[in-house]
Structure formats: C-alpha cells, structure tokens
C-alpha cells in the first residue's frame, strides 16, 4: 500500500526558464478523480466500506486510517464545514504565496467528520469565529500543460464558465456550493504534465 496526498508542496516550474512555484497540486492515477471533481466544482472524500466501520477520511488514502481496510471509495462531500482554527500568514517566502499575503490558513471540520487544512477567503480576520459555518468554493490556478507552459487566462476563464453554469442550475441549493472550473484535463495530461485548474478553499456560508 502506498499513501499519497492530494496536495502540493513539491515545486513546479512554470514553463521553460520560468519561476518555480509551490501552489500547484500533484496529481497521479490515484488522486486524479479528486482533482477532476474539483475542476467541476465538487469536493470528494474517501469513505470506508468495511462492515462495522464506514468512516470518512481526508486527505485521501488508499486504505481506511481507522480500521486499515482497503475497501474504500470516493464520495461527494456536501461542501459544508465549520471553522476549527486559523492563522493569518503575513510572510511566506515560497512562490507565489508571497504575493498573496496576508492570507488566512485554516483547519475546518467537514460536515462528514474529517478535518481539512485549507484557506479562508472573502472574510476579514475580525469576523472569524470558531465554529462559524463555511462553504467550499474553488480557486483557479494556472493550468500547466505537458511541456510546462502556464495559462492563467484559460484557467480563470474555465472557472468563470463553470461558476455561471453551477449557479444557473441551482447548484448551491443541491449542496454544490461554490465556484468550479470545468475541464477535461484537470487531473493531468498525457506525458506526465499537470493541468490542475481548481483547488478547494472555504468562505462564510
């Protein structure tokens, strides 16, 4: 069994001779469903299907961290959460986070039970309260193709289009809260490149 995280932390070079950046998530065969769903405005969890367990977990793993069963599968989350804790980041030397400070790093309790590290947006620090209700939405990030060329404009355009479609179809009423970026290569592209265009963040419900 191999444990993989649905997260970033590994530097990616945007384009030949481009700047190294740390905000682009890694995607592989296991995590691709997670990122494909994020590109469509959906947050996925993993849930154990073993008899007597049934626990949900996040970050996604190929086994249940509670009973160690490998009988686990993807499940769509409601996108609802409450704030567990937060910290305002005033300095981050890893690119491109330096251009985003100050921002609010947080841990939230998902409605399904798991805790998730994330970022709070659209809310002043003075308005944050432990236990406040939150809802997921999705931030566009640069799409990186197989040769590493970045395309911020196409990612932003995809997010806008999916957000409009989601709102028009009553997505929020169905628990599909937030904006989404729609695209067929969200989790990766042939040749090993990464084309993730949306990451989950939270804002007040």
């Amino acid at each position: 069994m191999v444990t993989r995280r649905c997260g970033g932390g590994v530097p990616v070079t945007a384009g030949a001779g481009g700047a190294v950046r740390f905000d682009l998530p890694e995607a592989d065969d296991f995590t691709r469903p997670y990122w494909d769903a994020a590109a469509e405005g959906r947050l996925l969890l993993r849930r154990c299907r073993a008899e007597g367990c049934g626990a949900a977990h996040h970050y996604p793993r190929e086994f249940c961290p509670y009973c160690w069963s490998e009988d686990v599968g993807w499940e769509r989350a409601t996108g609802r959460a409450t704030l567990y804790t937060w910290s305002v980041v005033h300095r981050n030397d890893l690119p491109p986070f330096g251009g985003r400070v100050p921002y609010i790093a947080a841990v939230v309790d998902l409605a399904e039970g798991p805790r998730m590290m994330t970022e709070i947006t659209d809310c002043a620090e003075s308005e944050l309260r432990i236990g406040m209700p939150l809802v997921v939405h999705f931030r566009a990030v640069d799409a990186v193709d197989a040769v590493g060329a970045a395309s911020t404009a196409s990612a932003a355009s995809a997010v806008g289009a999916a957000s409009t479609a989601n709102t028009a179809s009553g997505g929020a009423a169905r628990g599909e809260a937030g904006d989404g970026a729609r695209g067929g290569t969200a989790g990766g592209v042939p040749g090993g490149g990464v084309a993730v265009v949306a990451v989950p963040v939270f804002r007040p419900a």
Side-chain angles (χ1 to χ4, degrees):
M1 296 184 295
V2 179
T3 301
R4 305 184 181 95
R5 290 180 180 269
C6 278
V10 175
V12 174
T13 300
V20 173
R21 53 189 303 165
F22 291 78
D23 65 331
L24 296 176
E26 294 178 87
D28 56 22
D29 289 342
F30 171 65
T31 62
R32 187 159 290 115
Y34 179 90
W35 295 114
D36 284 345
E40 296 174 352
R42 297 178 291 117
L43 177 63
L44 296 187
L45 301 172
R46 298 278 282 177
R47 185 175 293 277
C48 180
R49 295 181 289 214
E51 185 176 355
C53 185
H57 68 265
H58 190 83
Y59 61 91
R61 278 155 279 190
E62 293 172 282
F63 61 93
C64 174
Y66 300 100
C67 74
W68 305 105
S69 170
E70 295 185 3
D71 186 11
V72 293
W74 295 104
E75 174 182 292
R76 182 174 182 171
T78 63
R80 302 286 174 176
T82 56
L83 182 59
Y84 176 73
T85 190
W86 78 88
S87 178
V88 179
V89 178
H90 293 276
R91 178 174 179 176
N92 189 335
D93 294 331
L94 297 177
F97 296 105
R100 298 178 185 171
V101 296
Y103 61 88
I104 301 170
V107 177
V108 302
D109 287 325
L110 300 176
E112 292 77 10
R115 280 185 177 152
M116 177 178 179
M117 295 183 66
T118 185
E119 182 181 340
I120 305 299
T121 68
D122 307 312
C123 184
E125 179 190 3
S126 60
E127 298 176 0
L128 295 174
R129 297 290 184 273
I130 297 297
M132 69 184 292
L134 303 167
V135 65
V136 74
H137 67 116
F138 293 84
R139 169 191 288 150
V141 297
D142 294 346
V144 181
D145 64 22
V147 296
S151 176
T152 304
S154 62
S157 175
V159 165
S163 175
T164 301
N166 190 44
T167 302
S169 63
R174 297 194 305 272
E176 301 171 12
D179 305 328
R182 190 172 302 278
T185 58
V189 291
V194 179
V196 177
V197 295
V199 294
V201 293
F202 285 76
R203 61 188 172 201

